[in-house]
Amino acid sequence: MINWGSIVVELTEQERIRYDRQMLLRGWGEEAQRKVKAARVAIAGVGGLGSPVALYLAAAGVGFMRVIDHDIVNLSNLNRQIAHWGTDLGRPKVESAAMKLTQLNPEVKVDAVNEAITLDAAKDLFKDVHIVLDCLDSLGARMIVNGECVRRGMPFIYTAVYGMEGYMTSIVPGKGPCLRCIYPHDSPASSKFPVLGATAGVMGCLEATEALKYLTGIGSLAIGRLVIYDGERMQFESVALKRSPTCSVCRFA
Amino acid sequence: MPENMRLKVEVRLFADLREVAGAGSVLLDFGRPPTVGDVIDATIAKFPALAQSLKPNGKFNHKYKVLVGQSVVPPEGFAQNAGPRVALLPPVSGG
């Protein structure tokens, strides 16, 4: 949980109206909303998962969002990457996303970073945020996020989709397994895989929910637990995950 | 053996395994309590196309996770009894 100390941000009258419905949530109120306003998040990847994650976090009033991606919008993205529209073809994804996010909520500050996630970039991009949302599309890039987050003791939410299936777990270094404990072996990413847009929507919403819970301290996170969504059966399940005592990344965390 | 003495194990297949097998699950029938390893072998016998993913060169491909009930069982635990629910899960990284 974040130690917010004395939060200096205040809500404006407009913000009180905008966030009225979520401030009615049990335990939320003005205090949690001020935390959300003071929060800084990094969203790694604004594709299928990153689109709903970014849109819902912006709608919820997260004060600072760094969106990171190095791709441009392609026609084959549009079945699922709902932050990008037909009018954005050929534009950098971060530019397209930033426009939607600031139109949805002008109170939110968006830092659009048109870069790939590399070891060096991650060090810089994650240094001033509270949490990272892993919305990437390869295990290799996700492991870079994992390594940097474990090094910083910073939580991140892993979410992945395939077809009508989705997988999500919250990784809080020192409190549960890291991504390397879960996937000890590298495996090459398949460049093209089946996915229904609504699946990315379901999982992105779970990811955004976990992030807001972490930022506000409300509820309990899916730490040490892989949440599996099976859309074909319309079923959610949860599987226990353990830290690996020999993990090459987090055994000393 | 009477029908009610037989042991049924439901094996669920996820992601690319589901695609390769062309099915999300299979109900396997055993005459005695199967080990996790028995269940994996019976699944491959049912869907031979899975051999290339799960046991290329005859050895279990450790990039896949085997879930028994709600726990992950590593290859060292494949001799244990499987129970009625097993799932096979590849690493998923799509976003």
Side-chain angles (χ1 to χ4, degrees):
Chain A
M1 207 203 273
I2 302 171
N3 178 11
W4 288 103
S6 55
I7 304 163
V8 290
V9 298
E10 290 297 332
L11 301 182
T12 63
E13 212 35 56
Q14 281 293 302
E15 286 171 324
R16 285 195 183 93
I17 298 168
R18 181 184 279 268
Y19 306 122
D20 176 63
R21 295 300 192 279
Q22 72 199 39
M23 281 162 52
L24 289 173
L25 278 167
R26 182 166 39 84
W28 201 288
E30 279 223 7
E31 195 191 331
Q33 194 57 48
R34 290 203 309 269
K35 291 175 184 170
V36 173
K37 186 176 178 177
R40 302 173 64 87
V41 307
I43 300 173
V46 273
L49 290 167
S51 289
V53 165
L55 287 166
Y56 274 102
L57 293 184
V62 168
F64 175 88
M65 303 172 58
R66 178 168 291 133
V67 292
I68 308 155
D69 207 305
H70 69 297
D71 273 343
I72 58 163
V73 179
N74 282 301
L75 189 57
S76 65
N77 299 149
L78 301 189
N79 83 313
R80 64 197 183 282
Q81 304 188 10
I82 53 159
H84 314 304
W85 303 343
T87 45
D88 299 313
L89 293 173
R91 292 178 74 183
K93 285 186 183 176
V94 290
E95 204 182 277
S96 157
M99 188 190 85
K100 312 311 183 327
L101 299 174
T102 46
Q103 283 186 11
L104 172 61
N105 191 349
E107 316 280 354
V108 168
K109 182 169 171 12
V110 180
D111 180 23
V113 180
N114 192 3
E115 265 183 54
I117 297 280
T118 61
L119 284 169
D120 277 348
K123 283 193 176 107
D124 195 40
L125 295 169
F126 300 167
K127 70 178 180 209
D128 55 355
V129 295
H130 295 109
I131 188 169
V132 177
L133 288 302
D134 167 12
C135 305
L136 294 160
D137 59 2
S138 80
L139 208 52
R142 290 171 184 276
M143 286 303 170
I144 292 175
V145 170
N146 183 62
E148 183 58 17
C149 285
V150 169
R151 194 179 74 79
R152 290 187 178 278
M154 181 188 292
F156 77 100
I157 318 293
Y158 158 84
T159 306
V161 289
Y162 186 104
M164 292 172 79
E165 299 165 17
Y167 304 84
M168 192 275 291
T169 186
S170 292
I171 293 175
V172 180
K175 290 204 171 161
C178 78
L179 197 60
R180 191 49 97 185
C181 297
I182 301 168
Y183 297 129
H185 310 285
D186 288 322
S187 87
S190 56
S191 55
K192 203 166 162 183
F193 62 95
V195 63
L196 184 69
T199 306
V202 168
M203 298 313 296
C205 287
L206 297 189
E207 192 168 9
T209 304
E210 284 293 270
L212 289 166
K213 283 163 57 189
Y214 175 72
L215 295 170
T216 57
I218 291 171
S220 55
L221 301 174
I223 299 169
R225 207 148 61 77
L226 184 68
V227 176
I228 303 173
Y229 161 66
D230 184 341
E232 254 182 70
R233 290 191 175 199
M234 197 42 77
Q235 209 170 302
F236 280 95
E237 287 154 87
S238 205
V239 174
L241 299 169
K242 290 194 187 113
R243 281 187 81 172
S244 163
T246 57
C247 177
S248 59
V249 176
C250 80
R251 69 183 183 278
F252 301 119
Chain B
M1 183 180 288
E3 191 54 33
N4 62 359
M5 292 285 286
R6 300 195 70 82
L7 288 152
K8 290 192 190 302
V9 178
E10 185 196 28
V11 181
R12 294 181 63 194
L13 304 167
F14 287 97
D16 57 337
L17 296 177
R18 196 177 206 156
E19 301 282 318
V20 171
S25 68
V26 60
L27 200 58
L28 299 172
D29 199 7
F30 294 89
R32 59 181 172 82
T35 65
V36 176
D38 294 337
V39 171
I40 294 167
D41 290 341
T43 305
I44 293 171
K46 180 82 183 171
F47 301 112
L50 292 179
Q52 209 180 348
S53 306
L54 292 172
K55 277 192 161 181
N57 322 316
K59 208 174 146 227
F60 186 74
N61 182 349
H62 51 206
K63 85 171 193 181
Y64 290 92
K65 291 213 171 305
V66 180
L67 313 180
V68 174
Q70 295 190 314
S71 307
V72 179
V73 174
E76 308 86 85
F78 284 3
Q80 75 179 55
N81 280 347
R85 291 178 65 231
V86 172
L88 300 170
L89 201 77
V92 180
S93 60

